[in-house]
Each structure stands twice: as C-alpha cells, then as structure tokens.
Amino acid sequence: MTPIRHNGSDGGSDNDAVLDAVRDCVLAVGVRRTTLADVARRAGVSRMTLYRRWPDLRTLVGDLMTREWIAVATRAIPDPAPGAGTGTRTRIVDGLVAGVEAFRAHPLFRKIIDVDPELLLPYVLDRRGASQEALLGLLGDALREGQADGSVRPGHTERQARALLLTVQSFTLSLRTMTDEDDPELDSDAFLGELRTLLERTLTP
C-alpha cells in the first residue's frame, strides 16, 4: 500500500539504517510530527544525504512501509507441508489469515492507522503501490502452483490474486469496525474464522 520505490531503495544496509531511523521516529511521534532532520539525526547522516536519496519525507515513509509490509507478508507464508492433501491452497489460506493477524498487530501499521490513516487512503481508493504489486506477485505465483497441483480452482490467476488482496485488505483495514471483542461470536478470532471460510470456498475447485 505504498508508492513505487525511489532511488533510496538501492543503498543496501545504509538505506536500512535510514529506514530503521524513520521507523523509530514514526513510532515515537507519528508521521506528521517527524522531520527529515529527526531522521538524519537518528540515522547519523546529514540531511543532504537524505535529500540525495529521497525527495521528501513521504517518499521515505513509503519505502519504509514497503519494506515492512513485504516482510510481514513473507513471514506469514507457511512452509510446504509434505503430503498435505489440500496442497498449496492450505498454504495460501493459512498465509493470508496469518498475514491479516500480523498486519493488525504490527506496531508501525497500528501507529499509522491510529495517527496518520490518511497515508493509506490513496492505496485503498485510488491506485496500487509497490507493496501491493509485490503481494500480487506472491499471490499469483502461489495460485499458479495451486492450480498445477489441483488444490486451487482454475481461473485467471491475476484476477484471482487481485480479488484475494481486496478481501484481505478489507479485513486488515476495517476489521475493528465490525468486531465486538466482548462477544466471542463477534470478536476478532470469530471474524478471522469467517475469513478462512471465505478464502477456502473461493479457492476450492
């Protein structure tokens, strides 16, 4: 849900240090109260070094979100289970449900949702960003694998991937508007169970 990376994405560990610094700043005070001077100070670099790599703070935060969201999604994908009868479909469903849980618990995601939710609106209402494109690529590969092993229904894989991403985005961003955590029939776990059912029925041949 972030913009395409700029030239700051090619600096390896140096860029990771800067992204770590902006993450710490955002977690401390939010995006609107973070400045490039704050980031430079935490990262131990000059502001001119930042300006040569990123044109503004929003682009820098975009690269941070891309790094963090792709890491969350990648960690959520379970390893293959040899001999599992449902094959790749189980991995896709388990990974998507675990990904929703992980996103909702992620400190940076929670901070942005609570303090700077407008940062996410363009990627919900208007256009896809770099992390969404990366997630679609992962989903497309998994769907093709599932179709090959017979665990996922045949279909247009790109369309299927986009539909899946739309579904899990809605659960990630809006789940708390529908839950009642005092009611076990309407709490987060119950709705994640519904998500699992939706995904299973969508993908089963």
Side-chain angles (χ1 to χ4, degrees):
M1 289 181 280
T2 58
I4 294 174
R5 285 185 164 193
H6 290 255
N7 58 1
S9 61
D10 297 321
S13 59
D14 289 343
N15 286 339
D16 280 334
V18 173
L19 296 179
D20 289 344
V22 72
R23 179 194 60 204
D24 292 344
C25 289
V26 171
L27 289 175
V29 299
V31 175
R32 278 173 291 185
R33 295 176 61 188
T34 294
T35 67
L36 282 174
D38 296 331
V39 175
R41 186 162 49 250
R42 280 184 183 261
V45 300
S46 70
R47 278 182 291 178
M48 287 308 300
T49 296
L50 294 186
Y51 281 121
R52 283 196 294 269
R53 300 179 184 179
W54 292 275
D56 52 39
L57 181 66
R58 183 172 290 269
T59 305
L60 179 53
V61 171
D63 276 2
L64 170 66
M65 290 193 293
T66 296
R67 184 188 73 170
E68 297 293 311
W69 304 163
I70 292 175
V72 168
T74 302
R75 287 194 299 267
I77 301 171
D79 294 328
T86 52
T88 306
R89 186 179 77 246
T90 296
R91 294 183 63 224
I92 295 172
V93 173
D94 288 349
L96 289 173
V97 174
V100 169
E101 291 185 277
F103 269 103
R104 296 183 70 246
H106 194 286
L108 181 66
F109 181 80
R110 292 172 67 92
K111 186 72 172 185
I112 290 172
I113 287 290
D114 289 340
V115 179
D116 302 290
E118 68 278 1
L119 284 176
L120 302 178
L121 285 177
Y123 316 110
V124 176
L125 301 176
D126 187 44
R127 62 186 183 275
R128 296 192 301 276
S131 58
Q132 287 166 311
E133 294 289 0
L135 293 174
L136 288 173
L138 290 172
L139 282 171
D141 290 343
L143 289 167
R144 281 185 286 272
E145 182 181 335
Q147 289 171 353
D149 68 22
S151 64
V152 171
R153 66 176 174 84
H156 189 284
T157 53
E158 184 175 349
R159 186 174 64 244
Q160 286 178 325
R162 293 184 185 192
L164 289 176
L165 187 55
L166 281 171
T167 302
V168 296
Q169 276 185 182
S170 69
F171 272 78
T172 302
L173 294 169
S174 303
L175 184 59
R176 68 179 179 179
T177 69
M178 295 296 162
T179 55
D180 182 347
E181 297 299 343
D182 295 326
D183 184 342
E185 298 296 329
L186 293 172
D187 65 8
S188 297
D189 287 341
F191 275 95
L192 289 173
E194 288 293 328
L195 173 61
R196 182 177 296 278
T197 299
L198 286 171
L199 296 173
E200 279 282 356
R201 293 187 177 182
T202 295
L203 295 176
T204 299

